[in-house]
Amino acid sequence: MRARARLVLALAVAIAAGAATSVAAQTSNDLFNDQKLQRIDLYVYSKDWARLKAASNENTHYPADVRWSGLAARNASIRSRGSGSRSGTKPGLLIDFGHYVGGQTFVGLQRLVLKNLTQDPSTVREFLAMKLLRRMGIPAPREAYATLYVNNVYSGLYGIVENLDAVATQRLFGDGQGYLYEYNWLSYYYFTYPGADLQAYAGMYIPVTHEAEPPSALYGAIEAWTRTVNEAADEEFVGSVQAYLDLIPFVRLTAAQAYLSELDDFLGSWAINNVFIYRSPGKTVHQLIAWDEDHALWASDYPVTAGHDENVLMRRLMASSEWKSAYFATVLEAADVANQVNEDAPGQGWLEAEAIRAIGMVRAAVYADPYKPFTNDEFELDAARVLSFAQQRGPFVRCEVARLTRTVPARPCLVPAVGRASR
Amino acid sequence: MTAAIWASGTMLAGLLCAAPTPGLCGPVIPAASQTATAQTAAQQTAKKSDKGKPKKKNPAKADDAQKAKDKNGFVWKDRPSLRFGKNFRMDFRLKLQADFLSTPDPTLVDAPALDMDRRRFGIKGSVLQGLEYEVEHDLRADGKWRDVYLNVAYLPYAQAQSGKFKIPFSLEELTGPTDLDFVYRTRVVDALACGRAVGAMAHGRLLKKAIHYQVGYFRDDGENAPGLEPTYADEPLPADARGPAFAGRATVAPFRAAGTKGLLKTLEVGFSAVSTADVPEGPNHLQGQSITGYHFFPRHYLASGKRARQGFELVWTPGSFGVKAEYLTSSEAREGVGVGTPEQLDHTLPDLVGSGWYVSGTWVLTGEKKDGGIVPRRPVFRGGFGAIEVGARYETLRFRSATADGPASTSRRSPTVLPNAEQAFTFGVSWYANKWIKVQLNGVHEHFDDPQRSPMPERPSFWSSVFRLQFVL
């Protein structure tokens, strides 16, 4: 009898230890595992939650406990976030694990974005765009999906987005000590030179790290970069600008975004927007990080050189035949990656297969989402558009690049009919 | 206003009377008689006695004293007084204190270096031999009423007091500001004691004053607690103040009760408790404050519900020595202000606890007795130097959660609050020039557990000094 009791006790301890190990072993990669629909629970004082929603245009922090997959972060903070996506019905949220507890992280993360997916009825545009960028080795945040429960009540489907901060730059660049800025859209800005006054840059480039440093440390390199882009002589342009911008990643990002038909990025329809800029400590060279791609996969026939003429940096860089070739080569690379043959579904390219999988994964959660600002029919309609894009974009882009690089006669490229496109 | 002008005149006359100028001030009133008339049974604070004084046995002087006692109208009895036989007495009181606080960083002190914040005028006396009263008000434009009460004191063992007065909690809090051994009250008493409130109290002394009890009901739990604030700044203040509060205090002098004579006779121990029915939700908890006024544990965390306080006290005044010690604790509920759990929405958090203690020792170098208050045997202006007392005190005050639940956090809904504590040493010397003038010099060494929440960030320990000049009628 005693032996049996000891055995039961040993089993219980082993099970408990195993459970503890599995919980403790989870990392941020598990949280951003996009092969499954995650579940995140928030516990928020009920009146705080009501106030957050009522004043969603404010950045007031509220205390919350966060639970995911058996792990809990106590005393985290949540606040409303977003620009055009701000919503009092289905608020986008920024979770800050260390706001109230100095140094607290959750699976190694300081902050986490819960994107409310209100600007994309398909809910998959940004997810697919970021996944393509990462697949091409371009700096972009990790993303996954989660059903969000607030105080045990289902509050909708959210995108889990890796917050861009020192932890993210450590992962992306192996360096978490540098200067990170979020570009802040104030007006239509095409990288013209605002002048030598550093305050002109302070409003546009919001420091995410080193916030307390003086303007000279924060904006001196950005001013020099901008001045060089605008004032360098044509023959010295590339060489001069390379001192301030890592051109290869820049061209790869803009080319991939062109393939993705992202309307609202560095070369977007509303001028520069949705980009983070990173500079290693002690250096003057900047790199761009993609952000907020929910206007991606917009139109199959979206021009691959959209925004080039307006943006001073891009216009002058594309004047270099070497960099122009690199740009179009990357656009074609994006087409190749997006249409890579899927072994599991031979009839589908990689992007199409991912779109089908993602839409299928989130469909039930979208249907059940009581706070989404669109109907289930609108979701299905937009999801179909995304699938069409995945099928049609490759042929169009290849044709367009050939036309622009004059390898074929300069005639308009047409969007192929769905189902008959050659990838 | 008329009374104030009159008081100023009589105050000046009284000061002159302090000097040995025969014929200027009328008949001299024996000190023993002064004590008997000035003392009230309602408040044990500011108790003066002349036990240490040599008895005057001259029959002629005793006769003069009797005449003075029977005199009607204005008289000088340590202070200006209006008297009509035994049925009416009105003493005019004035309290003035000027403090000079010096800290390592002058910017720590909001007030000017010379702080004359405590300026009070009042009247105190009795009617019909058993109705005692006191009225006191600040002499400032923004001043407020202090003590305003009536005490029915026909029976020493069963008295009833009503009005605004100090809630019976904490020995040091109940000691008047002009009778403190050191310039500042302890941090723990400043933080956890109640102060004044409007209410009613039954009290009395039993067994030859060996036992003293006080039981009261008050509108709230006193002025020392921070004013109420709502949880959200844009919401109106709670409609009702915290309260009501119930308070009780009992002290016993066991050796006096047993009839023991000797040094232990003055040993007295006591217990007091206050319970508040409800504190509205908001950042309304008690807070820790340094002597400079900096809040090392500021109001921040949300409290809601009952606030309870307990105190234990000990005082012993053998001869020229004095020993005092207190332990105070507060417990403040945080009902339903948590973020919630999978099992419960808006859950209740562990209580927020404040606790601390102090022990102090004093020695009157010039030999006067400590019990009942120091009265210089050889006052200044009467050929003497006054009385000198030295003392030392150690104190500590800490705020924390009753139980730890998760990481300590600055979230105002955190189960585990970010604790902080202060420890302080005070060394002091007091010079009692005469009955009215006292000068104190204290050196205070403060230490804060959390360097980030010290008055000087990254500098958790430092010395300050304070000099006080006091005049009391």
Side-chain angles (χ1 to χ4, degrees):
Chain A
M1 188 66 180
R2 185 175 291 178
R4 180 182 292 178
R6 273 203 293 267
L7 179 62
V8 170
L9 181 63
L11 279 172
V13 169
I15 291 168
T21 303
S22 68
V23 167
Q26 293 185 100
T27 67
S28 61
N29 285 333
D30 297 307
L31 177 62
F32 290 114
N33 176 8
D34 62 16
Q35 298 302 304
K36 68 178 203 179
L37 191 57
Q38 309 283 356
R39 169 177 171 148
I40 291 177
D41 280 273
L42 294 181
Y43 293 95
V44 192
Y45 186 69
S46 51
K47 205 168 175 181
D48 281 354
W49 180 239
R51 289 181 71 91
L52 184 149
K53 293 170 84 169
S56 60
N57 58 329
E58 297 175 0
N59 287 340
T60 307
H61 288 260
Y62 296 93
D65 285 357
V66 184
R67 291 171 190 261
W68 164 77
S69 190
L71 297 179
R74 308 285 299 277
N75 299 307
S77 88
I78 59 170
R79 71 162 176 84
S80 176
R81 66 162 298 279
S83 298
S85 63
R86 291 238 177 192
S87 168
T89 306
K90 186 183 179 185
L93 297 172
L94 175 68
I95 303 175
D96 189 338
F97 301 105
H99 185 77
Y100 296 119
V101 184
Q104 176 172 257
T105 60
F106 184 69
V107 291
L109 303 173
Q110 294 173 337
R111 298 179 187 86
L112 185 66
V113 172
L114 294 181
K115 196 174 173 75
N116 57 5
L117 306 173
T118 54
Q119 294 190 306
D120 171 19
S122 79
T123 72
V124 297
R125 294 178 192 277
E126 171 161 327
F127 171 79
L128 294 171
M130 292 298 186
K131 192 154 188 175
L132 179 80
L133 293 176
R134 293 198 304 276
R135 194 172 171 86
M136 293 178 65
I138 295 169
R142 293 173 289 178
E143 299 203 3
Y145 286 102
T147 52
L148 179 68
Y149 289 77
V150 178
N151 297 334
N152 298 331
V153 175
Y154 179 54
S155 299
L157 176 74
Y158 279 72
I160 313 173
V161 182
E162 180 180 24
N163 188 61
L164 293 184
D165 51 26
V167 174
T169 60
Q170 177 68 40
R171 182 184 70 80
L172 292 168
F173 306 115
D175 171 15
Q177 305 300 315
Y179 293 77
L180 180 66
Y181 308 84
E182 180 178 10
Y183 179 80
N184 180 38
W185 195 98
L186 297 174
S187 63
Y188 285 79
Y189 174 63
Y190 295 99
F191 222 83
T192 49
Y193 182 50
D197 182 4
L198 297 182
Q199 286 305 316
Y201 302 85
M204 285 194 291
Y205 300 94
I206 308 299
V208 178
T209 59
H210 299 270
E211 302 97 313
E213 292 202 6
S216 57
L218 286 170
Y219 303 114
I222 294 177
E223 184 274 338
W225 171 25
T226 313
R227 177 164 33 84
T228 302
V229 164
N230 285 271
E231 297 180 357
D234 289 344
E235 60 276 16
E236 297 172 351
F237 179 79
V238 171
S240 300
V241 170
Q242 275 179 323
Y244 299 102
L245 178 65
D246 196 339
L247 287 176
I248 293 175
F250 172 72
V251 166
R252 288 184 63 76
L253 173 63
T254 51
Q257 287 177 324
Y259 179 83
L260 288 167
S261 174
E262 168 58 58
L263 290 187
D264 194 11
D265 58 8
F266 191 82
L267 301 173
S269 302
W270 297 277
I272 298 173
N273 198 16
N274 291 325
V275 68
F276 278 67
I277 295 113
Y278 183 70
R279 183 177 74 245
S280 294
K283 304 282 179 61
T284 58
V285 180
H286 298 83
Q287 285 204 54
L288 306 190
I289 309 171
W291 187 250
D292 197 355
E293 301 279 335
D294 55 10
H295 285 83
L297 286 62
W298 193 255
S300 302
D301 57 352
Y302 189 72
V304 295
T305 56
H308 286 205
D309 291 342
E310 294 87 348
N311 188 288
V312 178
L313 169 60
M314 201 63 188
R315 183 177 69 237
R316 299 197 70 186
L317 185 64
M318 288 298 101
S320 159
S321 58
E322 179 187 354
W323 287 102
K324 187 174 182 179
S325 298
Y327 176 83
F328 285 122
T330 308
V331 174
L332 293 176
E333 179 190 336
D336 291 342
V337 171
N339 294 284
Q340 201 168 29
V341 174
N342 185 356
E343 292 178 359
D344 296 333
Q348 300 166 354
W350 173 85
L351 185 62
E352 183 184 359
E354 273 299 309
I356 291 170
R357 185 188 67 78
I359 291 166
M361 184 173 69
V362 303
R363 178 173 279 113
V366 170
Y367 274 41
D369 185 345
Y371 302 113
K372 63 181 184 292
F374 41 80
T375 66
N376 293 338
D377 288 342
E378 287 168 334
F379 161 73
E380 294 292 355
L381 188 63
D382 205 41
R385 286 197 194 104
V386 167
L387 290 174
S388 296
F389 178 95
Q391 295 167 353
Q392 296 171 339
R393 183 62 170 167
F396 175 81
V397 164
R398 287 198 176 97
C399 171
E400 187 77 347
V401 170
R403 185 179 66 82
L404 293 170
T405 55
R406 301 186 186 280
T407 57
V408 297
R411 61 182 181 185
C413 296
L414 301 175
V415 175
V418 174
R420 290 185 286 110
S422 166
R423 297 182 184 88
Chain B
M1 178 57 84
T2 307
I5 295 169
W6 178 88
S8 303
T10 51
M11 181 182 77
L12 182 61
L15 275 175
L16 292 171
C17 289
T21 315
L24 180 64
C25 307
V28 175
I29 299 166
S33 169
Q34 296 169 19
T35 304
T37 52
Q39 195 165 335
T40 70
Q43 296 272 307
Q44 71 166 12
T45 60
K47 194 171 65 174
K48 307 280 187 184
S49 97
D50 293 316
K51 287 176 186 171
K53 292 198 161 189
K55 301 285 183 188
K56 309 260 174 142
K57 304 237 174 175
N58 186 323
K61 286 190 176 178
D63 191 42
D64 289 344
Q66 188 57 43
K67 287 179 183 174
K69 191 175 179 180
D70 296 340
K71 182 181 177 183
N72 292 335
F74 289 108
V75 295
W76 174 265
K77 294 172 74 64
D78 285 352
R79 57 187 61 84
S81 183
L82 183 61
R83 305 192 173 205
F84 293 97
K86 294 181 179 177
N87 287 328
F88 181 82
R89 176 172 60 82
M90 179 182 288
D91 295 338
F92 295 91
R93 314 292 298 263
L94 182 68
K95 298 173 183 173
L96 300 175
Q97 288 180 335
D99 294 345
F100 303 83
L101 175 61
S102 173
T103 61
D105 180 357
T107 62
L108 295 180
V109 186
D110 291 337
L114 169 60
D115 179 11
M116 292 191 64
D117 194 48
R118 190 167 275 136
R119 287 167 285 161
R120 298 178 188 170
F121 173 76
I123 55 174
K124 184 174 181 178
S126 62
V127 180
L128 301 176
Q129 300 185 50
L131 294 177
E132 300 172 339
Y133 65 89
E134 180 172 3
V135 177
E136 187 178 69
H137 195 276
D138 289 319
L139 286 174
R140 297 197 315 254
D142 60 342
K144 58 185 178 182
W145 294 102
R146 296 288 171 172
D147 288 317
V148 183
Y149 67 83
L150 181 67
N151 183 44
V152 181
Y154 287 103
L155 301 172
Y157 54 85
Q159 303 182 34
Q161 183 167 313
S162 180
K164 182 184 180 186
F165 52 94
K166 285 182 179 174
I167 293 175
F169 181 78
S170 167
L171 166 70
E172 190 183 61
E173 178 67 14
L174 295 174
T175 302
T178 58
D179 296 321
L180 297 170
D181 294 336
F182 301 91
V183 172
Y184 296 126
R185 287 194 172 92
T186 53
R187 305 298 83 220
V188 59
V189 168
D190 262 359
L192 305 188
C194 302
R196 292 176 177 82
V198 174
M201 176 175 75
H203 64 108
R205 289 183 176 274
L206 310 170
L207 295 178
K208 298 179 182 176
K209 299 185 179 179
I211 294 175
H212 183 205
Y213 72 90
Q214 296 162 292
V215 180
Y217 172 88
F218 297 87
R219 194 168 63 185
D220 54 49
D221 66 346
E223 295 174 335
N224 287 4
L228 298 178
E229 285 185 5
T231 300
Y232 305 101
D234 58 352
E235 287 193 346
L237 281 166
D240 197 11
R242 60 191 181 276
F246 300 88
R249 177 171 178 258
T251 62
V252 58
F255 296 99
R256 192 187 306 161
T260 306
K261 294 187 177 179
L263 294 178
L264 288 174
K265 189 177 73 173
T266 57
L267 178 67
E268 193 167 87
V269 295
F271 169 76
S272 52
V274 180
S275 179
T276 305
D278 193 21
V279 174
E281 184 191 314
N284 298 322
H285 59 79
L286 304 178
Q287 48 189 353
Q289 195 173 6
S290 78
I291 62 170
T292 61
Y294 172 83
H295 290 107
F296 65 89
F297 191 84
R299 55 156 62 202
H300 171 73
Y301 296 99
L302 297 175
S304 178
K306 185 177 175 182
R307 175 189 291 157
R309 318 179 207 216
Q310 292 88 37
F312 300 88
E313 61 188 61
L314 178 149
V315 58
W316 185 33
T317 51
S320 300
F321 296 92
V323 176
K324 291 178 185 173
E326 282 191 80
Y327 171 77
L328 303 182
T329 181
S330 67
S331 179
E332 298 178 87
R334 296 192 288 162
E335 294 169 0
V337 297
V339 298
T341 67
E343 295 77 30
Q344 186 188 4
L345 189 69
D346 304 342
H347 71 303
T348 294
L349 301 175
D351 287 358
L352 200 158
V353 173
S355 61
W357 56 272
Y358 74 87
V359 58
S360 67
T362 56
W363 178 26
V364 187
L365 299 177
T366 45
E368 282 84 352
K369 285 191 174 180
K370 177 71 172 173
D371 188 29
I374 298 168
V375 179
R377 284 194 294 223
R378 286 180 287 278
V380 172
F381 305 131
R382 288 195 172 180
F385 180 71
I388 301 287
E389 182 185 42
V390 295
R393 180 173 72 190
Y394 177 77
E395 57 183 297
T396 180
L397 170 62
R398 172 178 297 276
F399 286 94
R400 60 182 174 81
S401 288
T403 56
D405 179 14
S409 163
T410 59
S411 160
R412 59 187 192 162
R413 300 189 187 278
S414 175
T416 308
V417 305
L418 205 59
N420 201 7
E422 177 181 359
Q423 299 87 37
F425 275 109
T426 303
F427 302 95
V429 56
S430 302
W431 175 48
Y432 296 79
N434 52 33
K435 291 177 180 175
W436 304 283
I437 297 173
K438 182 164 79 169
V439 176
Q440 291 178 290
L441 178 64
N442 286 181
V444 186
H445 181 264
E446 293 183 282
H447 172 82
F448 301 88
D449 280 5
D450 184 351
Q452 298 302 321
R453 288 183 289 165
S454 158
M456 291 189 288
E458 305 297 344
R459 188 171 169 186
S461 304
F462 56 87
W463 280 96
S464 301
S465 61
V466 58
F467 173 80
R468 169 171 286 176
L469 181 59
Q470 172 178 300
F471 176 79
V472 177
L473 276 182

